[in-house]
Amino acid sequence: MSLTTQIDQDIKQAMLAKQADRLRGLRAIKSALLLARTEKGAAEEVTPEAETKVLQKLVKQRRESAEIYKTQNRADLYQVEIEELEVIEAYLPKQMSHEEVETYLKDLIARVGATSVKDMGKVMGAANKELAGKADGRTISELVKQLLG
């Protein structure tokens, strides 16, 4: 079942259950997927990889907004963002822990044969491709710098 179909079914369930916070998050996902499908040059159907990227973008937006609202002492808006974030994250693949990412990157560095920060590009390219949706890009980058530095 495609993500779009799953979201449509979950929207119906949330409407029937009168779950306004869940419904908000689901509608945000549906909107973003529709935009991705209608973008210029986009394929007829959105690939699972593209769906994951769309969801990651939504999660990143919610996190950034939540941080801003938290610093401005807007607990009401902060709570809305966190609720939507939790709904969106439920549709992403399970995120790897910091330790799992570090272990994976050590193995990847050995496979690629990277020895210094100059080889960071090779490692980052492979890591971003293989860990897409499973780990945050910023976390990957910071760990690669530590391990190669």
Side-chain angles (χ1 to χ4, degrees):
M1 174 184 328
S2 75
L3 181 62
T4 306
T5 307
Q6 179 68 44
I7 295 296
D8 287 339
Q9 289 178 357
D10 291 349
I11 285 175
K12 289 176 190 171
Q13 290 174 353
M15 288 172 115
L16 290 172
K18 296 186 180 359
Q19 298 170 321
D21 52 340
R22 181 167 167 72
L23 191 56
R24 239 188 350 264
L26 291 169
R27 284 182 172 156
I29 296 171
K30 183 174 181 172
S31 172
L33 290 174
L34 280 171
L35 278 172
R37 199 168 72 215
T38 58
E39 280 180 350
K40 187 174 185 180
E44 207 43 46
E45 274 300 311
V46 180
T47 64
E49 294 82 21
E51 289 175 344
T52 301
K53 283 185 180 183
V54 167
L55 292 176
Q56 287 176 320
K57 182 178 176 183
L58 290 174
V59 165
K60 184 177 179 184
Q61 289 172 343
R62 296 306 180 284
R63 278 203 180 109
E64 289 172 354
S65 296
E67 283 302 312
I68 291 169
Y69 293 141
K70 191 174 186 177
T71 59
Q72 294 177 346
N73 295 323
R74 292 295 311 266
D76 54 335
L77 297 175
Y78 172 80
Q79 188 60 38
V80 168
E81 294 297 327
I82 294 300
E83 289 169 355
E84 287 183 20
L85 176 67
E86 290 169 357
V87 171
I88 296 166
E89 282 182 330
Y91 294 93
L92 279 171
K94 182 185 172 289
Q95 296 291 300
M96 295 172 73
S97 72
H98 190 78
E99 293 76 26
E100 290 172 326
V101 174
E102 188 171 356
T103 304
Y104 177 82
L105 288 174
K106 285 178 182 175
D107 177 54
L108 180 64
I109 288 170
R111 282 187 293 163
V112 173
T115 55
S116 69
V117 179
K118 292 179 183 176
D119 300 321
M120 188 169 171
K122 287 194 289 188
V123 176
M124 285 300 297
N128 283 332
K129 190 174 187 179
E130 295 177 28
L131 296 177
K134 298 177 188 170
D136 179 49
R138 182 181 298 152
T139 305
I140 294 171
S141 176
E142 289 171 0
L143 282 171
V144 169
K145 281 180 190 173
Q146 282 178 1
L147 294 171
L148 291 177

